[in-house]
Structures are given as structure tokens and as C-alpha cells.
Amino acid sequence: MKKFYITTPIYFPSAKLHIGHSYTTVVCDTIARYKRMQGFDVMFLTGTDEHGQKIESIAKEAGVSPKAYVDEIVAGIKELWKLMDISYDRFIRTTDDYHEESIQNIFNELYKRGEIYKSEYKGAYCKPCESFWTDSQLKDKKCPDCGRGVEQASEEAYFFRLSNYTDKILKLYEDNPGFLQPQTRINEMVNNFLKPGLDDLCVSRTSFAWGIPVSFDPGHVVYVWVDALSNYITALGYGNTSYGDFDKYWPADVHLMAKEIVRFHAIIWPAMLMALDLPLPKKVYGHGWLLFGGDKMSKSKGNVVDPVILCGRYGVDAIRYFLMREVPFGQDGNFTNEALINRINADLANDLGNLVSRSVTMALKYFEGGFPKERVSAPVDDELMDMAKGLSAKVESLMDDLQLPLALTEIFKFISRTNKYIDETMPWALAKNEADCPRLAAVICNLLESIRIAGILLSPFMPQTAPKIFEQLGISGDITCWQSAKTFELLPQNPKINRGDAMFPRIDLEKELNELEALGGPGKEAEDTLKAQAAKKPEGVVSLVDIADFAKIELKAAKIIACEAVPKSDKLLKIRIDDGTGTRQVVSGIHEWYKPDDLIGRKIILVANLKPAKIRGVESNGMLLAADMPGNEARVVFVDDHVPAGAKIR
Ligand code: MSP
């Protein structure tokens, strides 16, 4: 059996994945389903990228171990993929024992081959954070984590001889034009990185511990990208005995990802594989971004679009359809609620939904007792049939080229053509005349047959909708398989047709947009969930407030830019903060536990609309949130540094 191996990037366990993250996974899932339907033995790999300094510090801030922190988030990611019908075959976590074993073996092997050597890493260093940063990572020449000044320093580190691979990677692109796609990514790699020449790559760190130790020098942990990229082979059993699929599936047919991480996949990864003498993946595809209001969607921008809420509101298949139809593959595409609702109404409710419901209704109305054997065809049938017979080949060629939006466009052109066929043949007029019964039977059967073919071709894209279509047509088994979409007239003489519910009820655009706007973002379900949670008063809660009461409190992320003790007070600190719109002063009784230097540069949660007050004669405009700890201690609630000052917290 022919093999097909496809991968998504492994995701950082950030608190919540947004709809942009699910884009790559939904595309991979669709391709994997398509290949399985074609008869390939498919390996579809996804997973999580769990090591690194960032995770270590977030976990520390949350007061839990890094492993406990990632465990909880990874469970949520798996739930999301379940909800979105993601049919992955294997899920790798970089904290899995077998992966760690493989990474140590890979590192040792590269070292043994002289591809890795020990030297010194020199760069900007933030002493309090114990972190090295490259110049481009610095923010205003300051530490991007804490905002403090940095100094030049060096640490012992291992380096990978990436500089030896500039010409080899250039040759790889020249000899294999399909290796990196789309073409714009080749231009980016060549102009930005390869033409200037590659530098050796620092592949170990000693300043933090949350990583895979270098086995022969345990003070070092392996650089996260070496750890992460290798997942594509360790998950198959390379360097470990937990899996034995490496020879079967490697090299990968497609590594799919968004453009910002193409450099790692199209330069560092092939260089590592060359250094290990392993075959290279057949294709690296860097698609565009799903944008939100013109910006890259990201948690830090506070413009997260929650896939759980979207799927709950509109259905998983509607979201999958939108993602794959709306974004020109390889380019950026915009996510707006309006575009989503318009697509649902125009394509799914009107074109597809109406076609199925009108055809099934007519089949039941006119032929409840069964179709007659005698059918009369007419020239108008030919165009529809020809289009139906050629559709699967067109879709296959586009899918093989990863042009999913164009494949959907072809399928929906056919659906529109089929709707037009109803208008052309006017079955209701034929039904008035007994003599036209054989013609009417042919028309209705052509309609059902066209729907069968469209349903099959839509199956990889919309895994919940296709079975609903087949259920209404009363068909299953062989005549719903991929190959059968190549043949017209496969319906049984008398299928057991069932009238189902509307698959995609029409949405009132204006009402829905008003509702979404009134909700200020996450949607009604989120509010309902919050209300339902509030109704069940959890143990230890003093009193319940309505969501509307909670909404009166304005919480914002804010950055501490200056801080000093209030004169003649042991407890009070005078804190100047940037709240995104300007600066203000807040007085807080936390001096017992924090020195001013501990706070400068940190991000906190500000109660922004608290009435101003004077504390010990010093004006305070707002309050920062802190947790009451045992022993009368207080700990400030800090916010991830990526959250911008001014971001609304709710
Ligand atoms: N952990 C690394 C990948 C290591 S792979 C060896 C990583 N993780 S990530 O969680 O930050 O992002 C992973 C992927 O999510 C991106 O490459 C991309 O495929 C997808 N996307 C994240 N935001 C996206 C959009 N706004 N739009 C489209 N895809 C997006 O990078």
C-alpha cells in the first residue's frame, strides 16, 4: 500500500490555541482524510513543543512545575482537536520519554560526526532573568522579558556547523523546485538567509534547566528547535525503540506550517538531516496567516478568536469550511465574523443545504413508493453529467497540489450547477403530468446522484456533513467511497431516502453581528457558560455576582515603569504604571514582599476604574491585583510579558 506522511508543527502549549492555530491542523487533517479515502496508508502527526525558557518562567510564575503546567494545557489542546474532528494518527509531546531518549542520541551522533562542537556563546545577557538574547530579540535594547538593561556576556555552548550548509541548501532548492513551496518562501529564504551566508547555530544552553540534557555534558540542555524539529522522526521511532515506523513512513511527504517558521524547516531541518545522512522531506509548505482585522492573530494582541466558541456557535464543519475556502492557500487571509456568516449563508445554507433539502423533499414527495425503472433522459442532463464525471479528477489534481480552496471552489461550482439544473428541468411542472413520470424520475435521480458525488468529494473537508448527506440519500458503503465519485449512476434503484433537519440553518447577518458586538467578543455561548458556572456556586465562594456587575469593573494589563517606597511607610510602594493610554500612579501595600527593583518592567493587572483615593497623603489611581497567601503574605498577579499594556482583562 502506498504511504503518506504529513505533519503539522508541534504547538507551544500556550494557554489557549486560537482559530489561527487550528488553520494548519484543519488543512493537514483534510489532506490526511483525502489520502486515506484514496487508499493511502497515512501517518498524520501532530503534537506539542513543551521545553524552553519561556515555559519554565511561565510555570514558575504560576507556582507549578513546568511539567504540571504543560500537562494541563496539552490536555486542552487534545480536547480542541477532538472537537474539531482532527483525525491525527499520532500525538507527540517533546516531554515523552522516548523523544527525550532520541534527542540525546541525535545530539550524540551529531557530536560524534563532528557536526557539533563546543565553544562560547556571546550575546546580550539579562542578569536577573539569566537569559541570553540576540539583538533582534531585544525590545528597545532592553530584555524583552523584564524590560531591564542587558549586558554583553558569554556562556559555554555547543554549536552546529550550519555554515557548512549554505551551498548545499541552495543546491537542494535548485535541484528540487517542489521542495519548498510556495515560490515566495524560496525567495525569502534565499535573499534573507542563504545569500548573506549561514552562521553556525548555537544548539545548547546552560542558563535554564527546562529542556533535554545533553547526555555527555548534563549542564547543557538541547536548543528547543533541535528538540522540536526532530519530533518528525522521533515520533516514528528514530533513535528509540518505542515506535518502529521510521523506515515505513520517512521521508515525510509534507511538512505544513505558517510562514514564520519556514526558516527552521527549510534551512535548519534539512541541514540537520544531511548531517545525519538521512533522506530529506519531500515538501515543506509555508502557508500564510489567518489575519484578524489585518493583524496576525495572536493571544498577545488580545484579539483571540476562540475556536471552541466558534465551533459551538456555527458547527465544526462550517468553521472548517470557512478556513479552507476563505484563505487563498499560501497567502494571508482575513477572519471576520461577517465573512464567516456570509459564507455559511451563501455556500452552506443556500447552495449546499438547499440543494440537498429540495432534492430529498421532491424525491420523497414524488416517489415515496420507489422510482420507476423507466427513465427518460434529455440533452440538458449531459452538461450536468459531464461536469459530475470530470469533477473528481479536477479535485484530485488540486488537492495533490495542496490547493484546497480551489478544490472547494470546483465542488461548489458543481453544486451551483446542480441547483441550476432544478430550475432548468422544473420537476414540479413535470409532476403535474402522469406521462412525464419517467422524465421526472430521471431528473430526481440525476439530482440525488450529483449530491452523492458532491458529498463524497466534500467528505475530507466536512467530516460531519458528508455522513448527514449520505444518511438523507439513504446510501452507505461502496457508493460513498472516494473512487465511486468517478462514476455517475451508481444509486440503487430505490434508496431509503430520509428527510433530515436543515444542515446549515440560515443566520440573520445583522442580528448575529449585533449580538456578537453586544457581547463584545466571545459570543453568547461564552456568556451562557459563565452564567451556568455562576449559577452553580462553587465551594468557598462568598457571594455570586451577575456577569453585568463583573463587567462594571475595568481590568487592564499595565506595565510598571517606576517604583519607590512611600516615605515614612514600611508597607507602601508608590508605583507608576503605563496603562496603555498614559501613565498613572498607584499606591500598594506590598513593600514587605517586593523591592521596587523586583517590580520595574513587570506587567500586572490593574483595576482601572477604582475611584481615586489618597493613601498616607499620596494619590492612588487604581489598584493592582495580588493573591492573599497563607501567613498574611501577598503575591502580585503578574501577566505574561506578551500581553500589551492596556489589554482588557475579563
Ligand atoms: N512550536 C513551534 C513549532 C515547532 S515545529 C517543529 C511553533 N508553535 S506555535 O504554536 O507558535 O505555532 C505553530 C503553528 O501555528 C504555526 O506555524 C502555524 O502553522 C500555526 N499558526 C499560528 N498562528 C497562525 C495564524 N494566525 N494563521 C495561520 N497559522 C497560524 O511555532
Side-chain angles (χ1 to χ4, degrees), residues 9-12 17-18 20-21 23-24 49 225 228-229 231-232 256-258 260-261 265 287-291 296-297:
I10 48 172
Y11 291 85
F12 288 130
L17 297 192
H18 54 67
H21 287 113
Y23 178 72
T24 319
D49 181 2
W225 273 99
L229 288 162
N231 92 89
Y232 301 128
L256 190 70
M257 76 229 50
E260 80 283 4
I261 56 172
H265 287 79
H287 62 69
W289 285 330
L290 193 63
L291 301 175
K296 181 168 182 244
M297 213 172 263

Side-chain angles (χ1 to χ4, degrees), residues 215-279:
S215 58
F216 54 87
D217 201 347
H220 291 251
V221 293
V222 175
Y223 173 48
V224 274
W225 273 99
V226 169
D227 170 356
L229 288 162
S230 306
N231 92 89
Y232 301 128
I233 53 175
T234 65
L236 300 178
Y238 182 83
N240 67 72
T241 49
S242 295
Y243 290 106
D245 305 302
F246 180 73
D247 292 336
K248 183 169 166 192
Y249 291 113
W250 190 255
D253 291 270
V254 190
H255 288 316
L256 190 70
M257 76 229 50
K259 57 188 176 183
E260 80 283 4
I261 56 172
V262 164
R263 177 168 73 93
F264 299 95
H265 287 79
I267 294 178
I268 298 176
W269 180 225
M272 280 172 62
L273 290 165
M274 287 177 193
L276 289 166
D277 260 333
L278 291 175

Side-chain angles (χ1 to χ4, degrees), residues 310 313-314 337-338 340-341 344-345 506-519 523-525:
L310 288 171
R313 210 166 172 86
Y314 307 110
N337 291 111
E338 190 168 346
L340 170 66
I341 296 160
I344 295 175
N345 282 344
R506 234 192 119 68
I507 301 167
D508 181 332
L509 175 67
E510 215 170 307
K511 201 167 145 235
E512 179 74 7
L513 289 178
N514 285 338
E515 222 170 278
L516 290 170
E517 202 180 306
L519 290 170
K524 190 170 176 313
E525 280 77 358

